[in-house]
């Protein structure tokens, strides 16, 4: 294990630090501000009533998508879970082992809301289909989509979602 000592009294201290870090270290330093800009926990629903920001968990593996919000006892009004299916196709959800009512917002790859299912009932095993191919599903507390005036055709902004040009 080696350590690098850098004196900050010289105007060249920063250059010595960059040299001591090597290419990988410099790449990491450059990427850090970009990572801060790509916060996956922030999602914005853009509605006629304004922009509504949510703090979301992103799930994108078969295991994490299968668990979803099961067994959770509460969900803050400005919180949710974003399911990323990696490509567009029809999806279906149910509420087995889910203790809180949820709104399910089905979103295309372009970030447009396709369909909305309001107030899915806890523990209900009835299938809730997307009705159209989607890449994302956002689950938020039951009734919130109506409270904020969310409608099909509204836009969703998130670092994973690439809007259509």
């Amino acid at each position: 294990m080696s350590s690098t000592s850098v004196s900050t009294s010289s105007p060249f201290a920063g250059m010595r630090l960059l040299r001591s870090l090597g290419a990988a270290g410099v790449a990491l330093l450059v990427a850090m501000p970009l990572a801060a800009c790509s916060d996956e926990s922030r999602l914005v629903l853009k509605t006629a009533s304004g922009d509504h920001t949510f703090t979301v968990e992103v799930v994108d593996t078969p295991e994490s998508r299968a668990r979803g919000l099961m067994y959770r006892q509460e969900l803050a009004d400005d919180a949710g879970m974003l399911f990323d299916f990696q490509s567009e196709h029809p999806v279906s959800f149910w509420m087995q082992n889910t203790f809180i009512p949820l709104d399910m917002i089905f979103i295309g790859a372009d970030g447009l809301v396709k369909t909305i299912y309001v107030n899915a009932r806890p523990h209900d095993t009835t299938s809730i289909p997307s009705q159209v191919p989607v890449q994302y599903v956002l689950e938020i507390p039951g009734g919130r989509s109506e409270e904020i005036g969310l409608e099909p055709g509204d836009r969703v902004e998130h670092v994973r979602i690439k809007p259509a040009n």
Side-chain angles (χ1 to χ4, degrees):
M1 179 181 206
S2 65
S3 65
T4 304
S5 173
V6 177
S7 166
T8 57
S9 61
S10 162
F12 301 107
M15 291 180 66
R16 282 197 300 271
L17 174 61
L18 290 176
R19 229 185 345 260
S20 69
L21 288 174
V26 171
L28 180 62
L29 283 175
V30 170
M32 284 173 60
L34 295 175
C37 293
S38 64
D39 181 8
E40 286 204 339
S41 68
R42 183 175 184 274
L43 179 141
V44 179
L45 296 174
K46 302 179 95 40
T47 73
S49 68
D51 293 355
H52 303 274
T53 302
F54 286 78
T55 300
V56 297
E57 297 174 54
V58 176
V59 290
D60 59 4
T61 64
E63 298 79 22
S64 63
R65 287 191 301 257
R67 182 168 177 92
L69 288 170
M70 286 183 180
Y71 308 107
R72 305 276 178 100
Q73 297 294 322
E74 58 186 33
L75 187 62
D77 283 349
D78 65 346
M81 182 170 280
L82 181 66
F83 294 75
D84 182 352
F85 289 92
Q86 313 296 319
S87 64
E88 282 194 334
H89 55 276
V91 298
S92 185
F93 281 65
W94 66 356
M95 295 288 288
Q96 182 173 332
N97 300 318
T98 306
F99 291 87
I100 49 181
L102 298 172
D103 288 356
M104 296 178 190
I105 302 158
F106 298 94
I107 307 162
D110 59 359
L112 293 181
V113 173
K114 302 298 183 184
T115 60
I116 304 168
Y117 190 92
V118 179
N119 271 318
R121 291 189 328 260
H123 305 291
D124 189 352
T125 58
T126 304
S127 179
I128 301 169
S130 60
Q131 301 176 12
V132 296
V134 296
Q135 181 171 339
Y136 307 96
V137 178
L138 174 64
E139 290 182 338
I140 60 175
R144 282 293 285 151
S145 62
E146 288 181 335
E147 289 173 13
I148 65 173
L150 187 68
E151 298 286 338
D154 286 346
R155 180 159 302 285
V156 179
E157 290 184 353
H158 186 268
V159 296
R160 287 191 177 217
I161 301 173
K162 308 300 178 224
N165 292 334

